[in-house]
Amino acid sequence: VNIQADAQDNIAMQKVEFYVDGRQFDQSTVAPFNRKWTLDHEAALNPGQTREHELYVVAVDQAGNRTRSEPIRIKVQGKKVED
């Protein structure tokens, strides 16, 4: 899953932190602020089984001010294994 954040400041951005289910999994210090989240553990889902995840970012400017984005929710569904 590719995640891209549009973060701006009137002076400069320090970084953007990327979170999935409340845990930071990466950060970016260079615009465009994007990261790829790999669904490794989703391989354990049975066909038709679903799992929901919450993603958000936290933008941090040079002064250390932090702003959290609105969260988005995605659903991942297990796929059928072809014979």
Side-chain angles (χ1 to χ4, degrees):
V1 176
N2 291 315
I3 305 169
Q4 183 167 345
D6 181 18
Q8 300 175 20
D9 184 65
N10 63 336
I11 298 175
M13 292 300 303
Q14 182 183 90
K15 64 183 174 180
V16 172
E17 301 168 344
F18 295 84
Y19 291 81
V20 173
D21 298 331
R23 293 186 176 155
Q24 183 180 346
F25 75 92
D26 210 344
Q27 67 180 24
S28 177
T29 58
V30 180
F33 302 106
N34 56 38
R35 282 295 179 262
K36 185 174 186 177
W37 175 52
T38 304
L39 305 168
D40 293 332
H41 63 284
E42 303 302 340
L45 289 176
N46 294 322
Q49 183 181 8
T50 61
R51 185 173 290 147
E52 187 172 288
H53 297 282
E54 181 180 86
L55 291 81
Y56 62 89
V57 299
V58 175
V60 184
D61 68 10
Q62 289 293 359
N65 299 310
R66 302 171 64 84
T67 301
R68 178 179 161 166
S69 71
E70 290 293 321
I72 61 165
R73 296 189 195 311
I74 63 168
K75 286 186 179 182
V76 180
Q77 185 172 20
K79 64 179 180 178
K80 291 184 179 180
V81 178
E82 300 295 325
D83 294 329

